[in-house]
Amino acid sequence: MEAAMVTRAAARRRQRQRAIAEAGTREESGRRPRRRRLPGKRITDEEEAAVFREVVSFSPAPLPVRYYDKDTTTPTSFYLSSLEELLAWAPHMDDGFNVALEPLERRQPPLSSQRPRTLLCHDMMGGYLDDRFIQGTAVQNPYSFYHWQYIDIFVYFSHHTVTIPPVGWTNAAHRHGVCVLGTFITEWSEGGRLCEAFLAGDERSYQAVADRLVQVAQFFRFDGWLINIENSLSLAAVGNTPPFLRYLTTQLHQQVPGGLVLWYDSVVQSGQLKWQDELNEQNRVFFDSCDGFFTNYNWREEHLERMLRQAGERLADVYVGVDVFARGNVVGGRFDTDKSLELIRKHGFSAALFAPGWVYECLEKRDFFQNQDKFWSLLERHLPTHSICSLPFVTSFCLGMGTRRVCYGQEEAMGPWYHPSAQDIQPLFGEHRLGGDGGGWVKTHCCLADAWHGGSSLLLRGTIPPEVGNVAVRLFSLQVPVPPKIFLSMVYRLEGPTDIGVALELTTGDASSCHIGGISVLNETSSRHSPRPLRVPPTKLARWAGHCRQPLSGGWVQRCYEVSLRGCLLLDLFVNFSRPPGSQEQESFVCRLGEIQVVDANSLLAPLPQVQAVTVTHTRWQQAAPAQLQLSCTLHWSYPLPQVRCFRVHHWGGASGGSRGREPPRPEKPTFLGLAFANQYRIVDLPVEAAGPGQDGRVEFLVEPVPKEGFLVPQAEWGRAALLYSAPA
């Protein structure tokens, strides 16, 4: 049954809509489908919440199976299985769930620099596993990737014709400044027929396919395509393949800033399917027609030596393939992948790591984090660090998963969860050792055992030897021009009784030392600063700073800092551990970091928008017990997405009232439902009480914006909508 809605204040609604439009909250043209307005009556439009009325029906209109799980109606990511599906695709209102919230963040060096790059090609058990659930799912021991600072490009790979990356991967990658590509693949005899259909004809056929691929990438906000033709082509089809690649690449560059088209080493210019394991005269025509070339995996060093002549000045555009599973006659792989990287970097090429999820698929799940950290630590010397280039910089070190959910120190829900879009910016993992024989060290790794906000925290273990006063570990590399004033915050907890001192440190450099295309080397003019702690947060920052230097729940401590540095770059963020006054012994420590924030002070003075125009649509009712129902419905709202990290969705009620029109009593605190990374959210199987004869049930939904600066927003600025429901007459 469709929810009906009415208002007593149409003028006020029009005025609000004009204000929303002026504030820039409407979606960009071409980025979102138009939303259908459902027919029906509007009953009221209070200032607190729009109210919708529903007569319970157990015969809902079906939702499109492409966009929703057929059993639960939870939104899912999807792929396209044929050329016909691709050409028929057009933006639909239900596509909005799968559009990335996060733009591609800037980082140094940029992808356009000629420094050798690292591509990660994610191929895991056919793809679209737990990651297909856009709003997350309850699953034990899911796969998670978090060494983003070492890679440049993330390819989501599957054997479906058009692989659209699940939006959770795009959000997580973009947050770290990593480019995301989908896959266009054709295989076997069916793939040959598909290629003949669009490549063997005139230019209109292949241009139509290229146009649609560009539209898909632009709409869902990922960055391009890996083109993988693994079937033989006729002379006509292979003759049209370079023009197809050139047209696709040109159109993508125009519509998707920073977009990429890569070609996989498979077909040669004769049309034969003949993997070369190198760039050579037989496949160079494809390399010359797009942004880069991904080689097959069975190469030797002599292949790399020959490619030096072929690649010329485009060494970084050749991505030498490394199968981490070590299938076939390959160099390295598995925990010997560093042998492959060493040769690839020796000759100045980029690397394409295929299926590094090997550490998850083939090794013990209980040791996954330990094995993944081991794998990437072995490669670390061949993987230059990337620098974050923008503020605000806020992270709670959440991996987008956990065994429970925590909100600023308060437990919110128990049980496992997995939501890749919720992954925060991840630090540089590894071990830092002091020089000399003293043995001082600090090691960092992720930990699900406790969290300040989200599902995990960063655990730092280390020792301070007797001959030194402190040890420090670099967590983030930055290249951020310092605004007139910045505020920093750190939430931490020392495990066990100890008087070890904990502080943030910054490395700064003169802004003139920064140049595009490379990372500045720290020089003698660079300096490390220990910022001055704030005794009392400025009034304007009260929401953000909280109770600085005061004990928080669970033993957490928050420290706030103010920094005023002009004409400088922020280059690094360290955490420093200092020995207690008077101590002469070796000191060991275990510290859990819950959150770090670096915020431009001016951004905290801007007005905070309010969530507007919350609506309730696409309801589905199920009978759970004689007096119990399950409600599924979709919420939409308006909010300027560039200003938000995500939305937290809550509900009140689900209880039956007294007489019709009378609101049932409301609990003190709303119940958390989930996170949204778009201006919409699907509520699935929410238990509510059945309404008795002559009674109304009432459930109220609340949409809480989470600003990019990372602080709690008062309930007065949340969006609200209430649903009144009654039994059929």
Side-chain angles (χ1 to χ4, degrees):
M1 181 72 177
E2 295 173 336
M5 62 178 196
V6 245
T7 186
R8 289 190 311 222
R12 185 167 54 191
R13 169 66 75 190
R14 287 193 295 271
Q15 183 180 11
R16 179 184 296 173
Q17 288 174 337
R18 284 195 298 271
I20 295 170
E22 290 167 3
T25 61
R26 294 195 177 183
E27 292 119 353
E28 299 175 38
S29 176
R31 286 291 197 180
R32 297 287 199 281
R34 280 181 157 179
R35 295 184 182 131
R36 297 192 299 267
R37 181 176 293 276
L38 297 181
K41 286 184 177 180
R42 183 191 297 176
I43 25 177
T44 174
D45 181 11
E46 303 165 7
E47 202 61 33
E48 296 79 13
V51 180
F52 300 78
R53 179 172 290 283
E54 176 90 7
V55 177
V56 173
S57 169
F58 300 109
S59 301
L63 294 171
V65 293
R66 171 183 287 177
Y67 307 103
Y68 299 93
D69 181 75
K70 62 183 177 59
D71 296 321
T72 65
T73 75
T74 189
T76 57
S77 294
F78 66 92
Y79 50 84
L80 303 173
S81 298
S82 67
L83 196 63
E84 292 75 21
E85 284 189 29
L86 172 63
L87 293 173
W89 178 85
H92 187 274
M93 65 176 296
D94 295 302
D95 278 317
F97 285 106
N98 211 26
V99 174
L101 168 67
E102 294 288 341
L104 181 60
E105 289 290 345
R106 293 185 303 111
R107 52 157 35 179
Q108 284 287 357
L111 198 61
S112 58
S113 74
Q114 289 306 302
R115 188 180 78 170
R117 307 170 197 126
T118 304
L119 179 151
L120 187 157
C121 191
H122 176 66
D123 174 34
M124 182 171 286
M125 297 180 281
Y128 298 96
L129 305 173
D130 298 321
D131 54 4
R132 76 185 187 277
F133 295 107
I134 294 171
Q135 296 179 172
T137 185
V139 61
Q140 297 271 10
N141 303 318
Y143 174 72
S144 175
F145 175 74
Y146 46 88
H147 290 85
W148 295 103
Q149 303 301 342
Y150 294 134
I151 73 168
D152 300 271
I153 301 166
F154 178 90
V155 178
Y156 194 85
F157 184 89
S158 81
H159 290 274
H160 302 289
T161 303
V162 180
T163 297
I164 300 171
V167 66
W169 284 109
T170 306
N171 279 330
H174 279 184
R175 197 170 288 128
H176 292 85
V178 172
C179 177
V180 177
L181 307 185
T183 306
F184 179 75
I185 187 171
T186 64
E187 302 175 281
W188 313 107
S189 57
E190 178 59 32
R193 288 190 291 271
L194 187 152
C195 288
E196 292 301 307
F198 82 97
L199 284 173
D202 60 22
E203 67 178 15
R204 290 175 297 177
S205 297
Y206 67 73
Q207 287 182 0
V209 171
D211 288 339
R212 194 64 81 222
L213 289 173
V214 170
Q215 290 167 11
V216 168
Q218 181 188 31
F219 180 83
F220 291 111
R221 294 181 182 165
F222 61 96
D223 306 296
W225 296 97
L226 171 66
I227 306 298
N228 188 0
I229 306 296
E230 295 209 59
N231 47 258
S232 297
L233 297 174
S234 67
L235 288 176
V238 76
N240 275 334
T241 300
F244 162 67
L245 290 174
R246 286 193 294 271
Y247 181 80
L248 172 62
T249 304
T250 300
Q251 295 302 309
L252 186 78
H253 289 177
Q254 290 177 2
Q255 301 301 325
V256 179
L260 282 179
V261 176
L262 304 183
W263 173 264
Y264 177 66
D265 165 23
S266 49
V267 172
V268 294
Q269 63 183 2
S270 68
Q272 288 180 286
L273 177 61
K274 195 173 182 181
W275 297 272
Q276 299 295 293
D277 303 304
E278 64 177 324
L279 174 67
N280 58 29
E281 290 297 336
Q282 296 193 64
N283 53 32
R284 186 191 172 94
V285 64
F286 308 114
F287 175 60
D288 291 338
S289 302
C290 65
D291 294 307
F293 185 88
F294 184 148
T295 78
N296 195 46
Y297 311 105
N298 297 303
W299 50 267
R300 287 289 181 267
E301 187 168 11
E302 52 265 31
H303 292 85
L304 305 182
E305 291 168 348
R306 288 196 297 266
M307 284 198 297
L308 289 171
R309 295 187 299 274
Q310 291 289 337
E313 295 181 355
R314 294 184 64 194
L315 288 179
D317 295 335
V318 177
Y319 299 82
V320 180
V322 179
D323 183 0
V324 176
F325 275 74
R327 292 163 288 203
N329 185 22
V330 301
V331 175
R334 302 181 182 177
F335 284 127
D336 289 325
T337 299
D338 60 313
K339 296 177 181 177
S340 313
L341 265 290
E342 185 173 6
L343 287 177
I344 293 168
R345 297 306 197 215
K346 173 184 173 182
H347 294 283
F349 292 111
S350 294
L353 302 178
F354 185 78
W358 166 79
V359 296
Y360 179 83
E361 289 191 55
C362 297
L363 305 180
E364 288 287 344
K365 299 290 190 294
R366 66 174 179 268
D367 299 326
F368 165 63
F369 292 111
Q370 181 179 340
N371 287 326
Q372 176 149 270
D373 290 346
K374 175 184 176 181
F375 177 85
W376 289 96
S377 68
L378 291 169
L379 307 182
E380 182 179 354
R381 62 194 174 99
H382 305 298
L383 303 174
T385 299
H386 294 83
S387 299
I388 297 163
C389 294
S390 59
L391 297 180
F393 167 69
V394 177
T395 181
S396 299
F397 305 100
C398 179
L399 294 174
M401 58 181 289
T403 57
R404 61 182 187 138
R405 287 185 185 269
V406 181
C407 180
Y408 299 111
Q410 302 297 316
E411 186 176 277
E412 199 163 46
M414 285 296 296
W417 63 278
Y418 173 62
H419 196 165
S421 284
Q423 187 182 90
D424 280 328
I425 296 175
Q426 297 299 305
L428 298 167
F429 292 93
E431 186 171 355
H432 169 70
R433 290 193 173 272
L434 296 179
D437 301 325
W441 57 274
V442 184
K443 186 173 182 179
T444 62
H445 57 92
C446 52
C447 183
L448 301 179
D450 202 358
W452 164 251
H453 188 64
S456 55
S457 54
L458 186 69
L459 206 61
L460 297 94
R461 302 176 184 272
T463 62
I464 306 174
E467 64 272 16
V468 300
N470 61 78
V471 294
V473 60
R474 184 178 70 147
L475 295 183
F476 296 98
S477 174
L478 308 171
Q479 282 210 19
V480 180
V482 179
K485 181 178 291 186
I486 59 172
F487 292 98
L488 301 93
S489 169
M490 176 176 62
V491 177
Y492 68 94
R493 186 177 73 205
L494 287 164
E495 305 290 329
T498 179
D499 293 322
I500 291 285
V502 184
L504 276 179
E505 285 192 351
L506 304 175
T507 300
T508 63
D510 189 279
S512 62
S513 67
C514 179
H515 58 89
I516 301 299
I519 294 180
S520 303
V521 177
L522 300 183
N523 53 40
E524 295 172 355
T525 63
S526 298
S527 56
R528 292 236 309 249
H529 302 268
S530 295
R532 172 174 60 87
L534 290 172
R535 293 182 178 276
V536 180
T539 304
K540 291 283 188 180
L541 302 175
R543 293 179 187 170
W544 173 79
H547 301 288
C548 293
R549 301 197 70 184
Q550 298 298 316
L552 306 173
S553 62
W556 296 97
V557 175
Q558 184 177 32
R559 299 287 297 274
C560 298
Y561 303 89
E562 174 184 350
V563 180
S564 297
L565 295 170
R566 295 185 179 276
C568 296
L569 286 173
L570 294 183
L571 295 181
D572 296 285
L573 259 179
F574 289 78
V575 175
N576 184 292
F577 299 94
S578 56
R579 65 171 53 259
S583 167
Q584 302 296 323
E585 304 295 325
Q586 176 168 293
E587 295 282 350
S588 297
F589 59 87
V590 178
C591 180
R592 189 178 299 277
L593 280 188
E595 187 174 63
I596 289 179
Q597 299 173 310
V598 184
V599 178
D600 180 353
N602 285 334
S603 72
L604 295 173
L605 305 179
L608 190 67
Q610 184 174 0
V611 175
Q612 301 273 6
V614 183
T615 62
V616 183
T617 62
H618 296 113
T619 55
R620 184 182 80 155
W621 298 93
Q622 291 181 298
Q623 191 81 52
Q628 194 79 22
L629 303 174
Q630 287 182 330
L631 166 64
S632 299
C633 60
T634 301
L635 306 181
H636 289 92
W637 57 87
S638 293
Y639 195 86
L641 292 178
Q643 298 187 36
V644 75
R645 290 174 72 189
C646 65
F647 301 92
R648 292 164 43 83
V649 182
H650 313 259
H651 83 97
W652 258 319
S656 177
S659 59
R660 181 158 292 173
R662 179 183 258 173
E663 183 177 336
R666 174 187 288 175
E668 290 184 11
K669 186 179 178 183
T671 301
F672 174 75
L673 291 173
L675 299 177
F677 291 83
N679 277 338
Q680 57 194 74
Y681 184 80
R682 179 73 180 167
I683 291 158
V684 176
D685 294 340
L686 176 67
V688 298
E689 292 182 15
Q695 293 183 328
D696 280 335
R698 180 185 174 101
V699 58
E700 187 169 336
F701 301 109
L702 302 95
V703 180
E704 173 191 1
V706 180
K708 283 189 176 292
E709 293 83 5
F711 57 84
L712 287 171
V713 172
Q715 277 194 28
E717 294 164 12
W718 299 7
R720 298 185 181 185
L723 178 65
L724 300 182
Y725 57 94
S726 57

